[in-house]
């Protein structure tokens, strides 16, 4: 399987994030993608390819132009405001529901109005990394559109929490949504299967009223897990998209037996829909040793996950999302790919 990878992700190196009432070292770090890249090379999964450059048009088909231009200039504006040595930009005030808000266009105002959490710092290199992650996802989509049976987009930063005009959850641009949109513009119907521990609230929002893109997510119940405000079982899609969104929330401590049941339902729905292409938002934070999550999947379970997805016999693109246990991450990621390939 071809892997698409861009070294631009190394420029995105957040130092800290604010959560659980304290500033903590960032967990969404460059080593995540680097350890996976090394293992892909060691295991000879296939060629490692640089992405092509895609025009902004396709990014702007998914995201608000204001968000895109903000992300491109935010850190320079932040430095102008707080000095060249300023730390990463983290918002600290938002235009909240129930209170009237005026958007001045100043940096703090825009930082708050385009974001939804305090865990997603904007660093000097964030834009270059995020924009090339979209190129990585698009290049994988292009490879599959041109006849590859599968591809792996080693996207970093991840994307599935980014919506039309809001970034957050370590995500800036929604890589998988951008790839899906590109494929639909090529006349392909698409299903997105999100297996990250966290619900893909950004992806769901982007396609919520569409029937040409089926979105399915198997994730930790938002009543106890991030992103907290979306991902409940009764969210089915709206207007023409009604019936084309399926959420399968699971409890704390979910192990493979329980997970496999939900995954089976998800795959059944994909089969019914019959897409031309399957996009997998491949988050690996369902792993038992993940530092920020509470599921119990083990290393061999990821081989089974890959095998189960392969059973659909669809052109498939794996898009890297979350997963933070640097001891197990490379192995479990590659297990999914090897399971899929039947190796
Ligand atoms: C912030 C947690 C962000 C979760 C990011 C993630 N406290 N999403 O892994 O899939
Ligand atoms: Zn996650």
């Amino acid at each position: 399987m071809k892997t698409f990878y861009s070294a631009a992700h190394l420029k995105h190196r957040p130092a800290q994030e604010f959560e659980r009432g304290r500033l903590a070292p960032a967990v969404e770090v460059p080593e995540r993608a680097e350890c996976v890249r090394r293992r892909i090379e060691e295991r000879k999964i296939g060629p490692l390819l640089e992405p092509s450059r895609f025009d902004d048009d396709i990014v702007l088909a998914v995201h608000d132009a204001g968000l895109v231009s903000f992300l491109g200039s935010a850190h320079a504006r932040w430095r102008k405001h707080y000095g060249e040595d300023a730390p990463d930009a983290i918002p600290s005030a938002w235009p909240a529901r129930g209170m009237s808000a005026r958007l001045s266009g100043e940096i703090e105002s825009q930082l708050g109005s385009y974001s939804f959490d305090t865990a997603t710092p904007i660093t000097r290199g964030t834009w270059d990394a995020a924009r090339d992650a979209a190129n990585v996802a698009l290049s994988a989509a292009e490879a599959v559109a041109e006849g590859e049976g599968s591809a792996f987009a080693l996207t970093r930063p991840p994307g599935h929490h980014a919506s039309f005009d809001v970034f957050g959850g370590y995500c800036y641009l929604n890589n998988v949504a951008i790839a899906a949109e590109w494929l639909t513009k090529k006349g392909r119907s698409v299903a997105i299967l999100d297996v990250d521990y966290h619900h893909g609230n950004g992806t769901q929002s982007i396609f919520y009223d569409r029937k040409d893109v089926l979105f399915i997510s198997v994730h930790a119940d938002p009543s106890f897990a991030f992103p907290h405000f979306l991902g409940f079982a009764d969210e089915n899609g709206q207007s023409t998209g009604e019936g084309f969104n399926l959420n399968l929330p699971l409890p704390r401590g979910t192990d493979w037996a329980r997970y496999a049941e939900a995954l089976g339902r998800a795959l059944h729905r994909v089969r019914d829909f019959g897409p031309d292409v399957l996009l997998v938002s491949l988050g690996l934070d369902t792993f038992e040793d993940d530092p920020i999550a509470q599921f119990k999947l083990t290393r061999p379970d990821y081989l089974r996950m890959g095998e189960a997805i392969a059973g659909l016999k669809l052109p498939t693109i794996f898009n890297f999302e979350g997963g933070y246990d640097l001891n197990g991450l490379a192995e479990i990621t590659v297990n999914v790919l090897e399971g899929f390939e039947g190796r």
Side-chain angles (χ1 to χ4, degrees):
M1 172 181 326
K2 288 181 173 168
T3 294
F4 291 89
Y5 164 88
S6 164
H9 87 87
L10 295 166
K11 297 192 210 173
H12 176 59
R13 214 172 265 278
Q16 293 180 305
E17 59 180 71
F18 184 81
E19 60 143 29
R20 298 193 197 187
R22 87 264 190 259
L23 257 182
V27 297
E28 202 296 286
V29 292
E31 180 56 16
R32 297 179 55 245
E34 289 305 288
C35 71
V36 172
R37 175 187 57 75
R38 286 195 299 273
R39 192 167 180 100
I40 284 188
E41 288 170 333
E42 282 159 23
R43 301 283 303 173
K44 305 199 188 326
I45 295 296
L48 194 71
L49 303 167
E50 296 237 346
S52 313
R53 272 183 206 294
F54 288 77
D55 289 344
D56 284 345
D57 305 12
I58 189 64
V59 175
L60 294 169
V62 166
H63 288 291
D64 174 54
L67 170 67
V68 171
S69 114
F70 172 72
L71 291 172
S73 60
H75 200 261
R77 290 172 61 204
W78 176 260
R79 291 198 306 274
K80 198 157 169 228
H81 200 72
Y82 290 116
E84 278 306 309
D85 299 333
D88 301 343
I90 296 182
S92 51
W94 292 266
R97 176 185 38 74
M99 196 182 220
S100 57
R102 293 175 57 184
L103 304 183
S104 72
E106 295 302 323
I107 179 67
E108 284 280 10
S109 170
Q110 289 202 314
L111 190 57
S113 54
Y114 283 124
S115 68
F116 74 86
D117 76 351
T118 54
T120 316
I122 296 183
T123 76
R124 192 182 279 263
T126 296
W127 173 247
D128 287 353
R131 185 62 184 78
D132 228 27
N135 284 332
V136 165
L138 285 161
S139 298
E142 186 175 60
V144 166
E146 286 172 355
E148 291 292 324
S150 60
F152 178 42
L154 184 37
T155 41
R156 180 181 173 274
H160 73 152
H161 295 303
S163 72
F164 171 66
D165 59 358
V166 189
F167 72 93
Y170 312 156
C171 303
Y172 305 87
L173 297 176
N174 195 315
N175 307 309
V176 85
I178 292 167
E181 182 66 21
W182 185 89
L183 284 161
T184 64
K185 286 190 169 7
K186 296 277 165 201
R188 312 295 208 280
S189 65
V190 176
I192 302 174
L193 171 62
D194 190 325
V195 296
D196 191 281
Y197 175 84
H198 305 94
H199 177 251
N201 55 342
T203 315
Q204 169 171 313
S205 303
I206 288 166
F207 296 115
Y208 206 55
D209 57 7
R210 286 178 49 175
K211 63 173 173 80
D212 57 336
V213 178
L214 172 69
F215 178 70
I216 305 179
S217 182
V218 181
H219 55 270
D221 193 322
S223 55
F224 72 88
F226 186 90
H228 305 296
F229 303 106
L230 211 61
F232 298 92
D234 60 356
E235 294 158 12
N236 303 320
Q238 71 185 12
S239 66
T240 48
E242 181 137 24
F244 296 90
N245 193 91
L246 175 63
N247 284 331
L248 300 166
L250 292 167
R252 274 193 186 89
T254 289
D255 63 2
W256 177 250
R258 183 122 201 200
Y259 192 91
E261 197 184 314
L263 182 63
R265 285 182 60 195
L267 297 175
H268 194 269
R269 179 70 187 97
V270 174
R271 200 173 276 120
D272 271 359
F273 180 72
D276 297 318
V277 181
L278 175 67
L279 289 169
V280 180
S281 260
L282 183 59
L284 291 308
D285 36 14
T286 47
F287 183 46
E288 56 182 348
D289 293 341
D290 195 275
I292 70 165
Q294 301 177 64
F295 280 2
K296 296 273 168 267
L297 270 55
T298 65
R299 291 167 198 248
D301 295 337
Y302 292 91
L303 282 167
R304 296 184 195 126
M305 186 186 291
E307 285 164 14
I309 294 169
L312 290 172
K313 302 203 185 319
L314 284 170
T316 300
I317 302 164
F318 293 94
N319 267 266
F320 196 51
E321 300 279 5
Y324 309 95
D325 173 43
L326 295 173
N327 296 315
L329 181 61
E331 180 181 340
I332 62 179
T333 305
V334 171
N335 277 358
V336 175
L337 306 179
E338 294 193 335
F340 179 88
E341 293 197 315
R343 301 223 280 175

